[in-house]
């Protein structure tokens, strides 16, 4: 909590240092009140397609008989995703921008340009007694999930990130990278055991298939889907859709105060780096199934804000002349990321906040505003034991 308070203080300092329009006239702009009809969201589900730009969405759409679940969104915006040190971002800087609201350098995990930790929306939700979860098709220590759960100056510090994750208090962790928890070389810790001591049910796909896992709502859950990187969807990885199906109900049962859930489709990016179109389409269609499941939950629930976005585009993908429906002629311009604007899709209470063109750091601010965490922060000072969802 001290990190959250000191961060608020930091923002105060920044705000006070803004130049005034005139030395003689002091203009104070209080934060705009939400519109009268504004209904706060109880829950936020953020879906990040790593490397998913408009071309990847178009390619999946026209490779799937002109149909995707993502078409159900009517509220759409665009985000600028450049990093503080490079116009072309990596996943660490862009995920930190969305998770923590700070513009930072490529490689940064939950820290600002000066490597100072910045609290994430997940940590703030956790501190308010909300339930929290992260699901990914990469290792759980990889850049995108790590930015929500950890604070390290360099994305490759996987064992340090694993330690942060084990101590994050998140209710639900699903992803690969078991070895960073139980076969450590930088210390003698057994984080598998530590998680169990912290009231986690800890399991992995060497013990059971995710779909056969027996869990209960009175324990946190950490499920490792592989020792290292999970395999591609086409090679048999099948946990993402069932995990997305169980997670909202699991988290809703973990706290009365709502939940924050981030789900990442990580290998959309890996397909882009490999310039492998078939791999891309398989990963995209699986991620779109997740979108369908989450929208179904949100529509029935009525109190959940759903946001779907990417962190950057990967591969410089285009769909070229000669393409026909379900038979595309793709072309790639790079094996790295590109600097194109990234679409943001929003549904549910607070969705209106996400229209327009804005910086990726605004996604953090908009999620806070939708959850009204600013208001809840004031109460936090009087609730030292607010962390109720562990
Ligand atoms: Zn990448």
């Amino acid at each position: 909590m001290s990190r959250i308070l000191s961060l608020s203080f930091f923002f105060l300092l920044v705000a006070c240092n803004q130049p005034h329009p005139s030395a003689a006239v002091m203009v104070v702009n209080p934060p705009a009140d939400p519109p009268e009809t504004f209904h706060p969201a109880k829950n936020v589900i953020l879906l990040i397609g790593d490397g998913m730009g408009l071309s990847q969405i178009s390619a999946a759409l026209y490779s799937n008989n002109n149909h995707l679940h993502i078409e159900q969104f009517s509220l759409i915006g665009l985000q600028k995703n450049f990093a503080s040190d490079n116009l072309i971002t990596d996943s660490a800087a862009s995920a930190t921008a969305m998770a923590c609201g700070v513009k930072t350098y490529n490689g940064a995990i939950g820290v600002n340009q000066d490597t100072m930790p910045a609290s994430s929306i997940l940590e703030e939700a956790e501190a308010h007694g909300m339930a929290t979860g992260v699901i990914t098709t990469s290792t759980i220590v990889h850049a995108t999930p790590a930015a929500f759960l950890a604070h390290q100056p360099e994305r490759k510090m996987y064992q340090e990130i694993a330690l942060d994750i084990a101590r994050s208090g998140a209710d639900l962790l699903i992803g690969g990278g078991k070895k960073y928890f139980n076969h450590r070389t930088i210390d003698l810790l057994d984080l598998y055991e530590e998680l169990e001591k912290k009231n986690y049910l800890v399991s992995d796909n060497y013990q059971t298939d995710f779909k056969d896992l027996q869990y209960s709502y009175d324990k946190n859950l950490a499920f490792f889907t592989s020792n290292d990187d999970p395999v591609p969807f086409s090679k048999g990885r099948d946990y993402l859709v069932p995990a997305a199906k169980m997670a909202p109900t699991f988290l809703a049962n973990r706290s009365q105060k709502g939940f924050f859930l981030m789900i990442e489709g990580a290998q959309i990016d890996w397909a882009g780096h490999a310039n492998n179109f078939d791999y891309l389409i398989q990963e995209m269609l699986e991620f779109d199934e997740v979108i369908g499941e989450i929208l179904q939950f949100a529509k029935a629930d009525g109190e959940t804000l759903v946001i779907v976005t990417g962190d950057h585009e990967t591969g410089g993908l285009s769909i070229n002349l000669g393409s026909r429906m379900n038979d595309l002629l793709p072309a790639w311009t790079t094996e790295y990321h590109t600097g194109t604007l990234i679409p943001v899709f929003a549904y549910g209470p607070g969705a209106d906040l996400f229209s327009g063109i804005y910086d990726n750091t605004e996604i953090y601010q908009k999620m806070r505003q939708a959850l009204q965490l600013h208001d809840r922060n004031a109460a936090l000072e009087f609730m030292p034991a607010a962390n109720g969802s562990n």
Side-chain angles (χ1 to χ4, degrees):
M1 188 177 75
S2 59
R3 191 161 62 221
I4 294 166
L5 293 179
S6 59
L7 188 74
S8 317
F9 183 61
F10 168 75
F11 281 133
L12 264 178
L13 285 178
V14 171
C16 293
N17 283 329
Q18 297 300 311
H20 299 303
S22 135
V25 185
M26 171 112 152
V27 179
V28 177
N29 290 322
D33 286 333
E36 299 237 331
T37 53
F38 185 82
H39 295 292
K42 183 177 183 186
N43 315 309
V44 168
I45 303 177
L46 173 62
L47 306 178
I48 300 178
D50 201 306
M52 186 181 77
L54 212 41
S55 297
Q56 282 72 12
I57 296 168
S58 311
L61 178 67
Y62 297 144
S63 297
N64 195 45
N65 217 18
N66 194 22
H67 168 75
L68 288 181
H69 293 292
I70 203 170
E71 291 178 84
Q72 293 172 56
F73 287 96
S74 54
L75 204 301
I76 299 164
L78 292 168
Q79 53 145 317
K80 309 177 205 177
N81 62 4
F82 57 89
S84 67
D85 64 336
N86 198 320
L87 191 71
I88 310 304
T89 192
D90 79 339
S91 294
S94 54
T96 298
M98 292 190 275
C100 308
V102 295
K103 211 61 163 169
T104 190
Y105 59 93
N106 282 347
I109 298 293
V111 298
N112 71 10
Q113 286 184 73
D114 304 318
T115 71
M116 295 296 289
S119 65
S120 76
I121 184 86
L122 183 147
E123 292 167 319
E124 293 173 25
E126 184 69 30
H128 286 294
M130 297 170 68
T132 59
V134 168
I135 302 170
T136 181
T137 53
S138 68
T139 65
I140 195 87
V141 295
H142 210 252
T144 306
F148 290 82
L149 296 160
H151 306 276
Q152 295 295 339
E154 164 46 46
R155 60 183 290 169
K156 291 258 154 59
M157 297 168 72
Y158 294 131
Q159 295 190 51
E160 290 84 349
I161 290 168
L163 182 57
D164 284 353
I165 290 174
R167 297 178 177 174
S168 66
D171 297 70
L172 179 68
L173 300 166
I174 301 174
K178 179 185 171 189
K179 68 178 186 182
Y180 300 108
F181 291 79
N182 70 345
H183 285 112
R184 297 169 63 80
T185 55
I186 62 166
D187 55 38
L188 298 172
L189 295 171
D190 183 344
L191 299 181
Y192 216 89
E193 210 170 80
E194 184 168 326
L195 283 166
E196 282 173 342
K197 284 191 187 134
K198 290 179 186 291
N199 195 35
Y200 282 80
L201 170 67
V202 187
S203 188
D204 57 60
N205 69 330
Y206 302 97
Q207 298 178 48
T208 176
D209 265 12
F210 180 77
K211 62 178 178 349
D212 300 325
L213 180 70
Q214 301 289 317
Y215 57 87
S216 71
Y217 297 139
D218 55 358
K219 268 180 177 281
N220 299 311
L221 172 61
F223 187 86
F224 294 101
T225 58
S226 66
N227 199 38
D228 201 337
D229 289 334
V231 297
F233 180 78
S234 63
K235 302 248 168 74
R237 189 195 70 233
D238 60 0
Y239 66 84
L240 186 64
V241 174
K245 215 166 176 167
M246 67 72 80
T249 306
F250 177 82
L251 293 173
N253 278 281
R254 291 286 303 154
S255 171
Q256 300 287 320
K257 296 181 178 173
F259 65 81
F260 173 84
L261 169 64
M262 194 284 286
I263 303 178
E264 184 201 19
Q267 298 194 27
I268 297 165
D269 176 63
W270 302 358
H273 284 288
N275 286 186
N276 184 330
F277 192 71
D278 291 341
Y279 185 9
L280 170 72
I281 298 304
Q282 299 258 14
E283 296 295 323
M284 278 296 302
L285 292 181
E286 181 198 37
F287 191 62
D288 189 61
E289 280 301 310
V290 168
I291 293 170
E293 290 294 341
I294 293 297
L295 282 176
Q296 199 177 324
F297 170 86
K299 284 178 180 174
D301 176 67
E303 296 185 291
T304 301
L305 168 64
V306 180
I307 304 146
V308 179
T309 190
D311 51 355
H312 52 71
E313 194 272 348
T314 305
L317 177 65
S318 65
I319 299 166
N320 281 350
L321 185 66
S323 295
R324 292 177 302 170
M325 188 65 72
N326 301 325
D327 184 15
L328 303 187
L329 283 180
W332 308 85
T333 62
T334 176
E335 293 178 349
Y336 195 62
H337 309 156
T338 66
T340 185
L341 297 182
I342 297 297
V344 182
F345 305 82
Y347 170 84
D352 288 352
L353 297 167
F354 292 84
S355 71
I357 302 177
Y358 42 85
D359 198 81
N360 56 0
T361 53
E362 285 293 306
I363 291 173
Y364 161 85
Q365 301 292 354
K366 291 173 192 297
M367 290 190 294
R368 290 187 98 232
Q369 199 178 339
L371 286 169
Q372 303 222 303
L373 279 184
H374 292 87
D375 287 355
R376 298 194 206 185
N377 251 358
L380 193 65
E381 292 178 29
F382 304 100
M383 297 193 320
N387 196 345
S389 73
N390 285 331

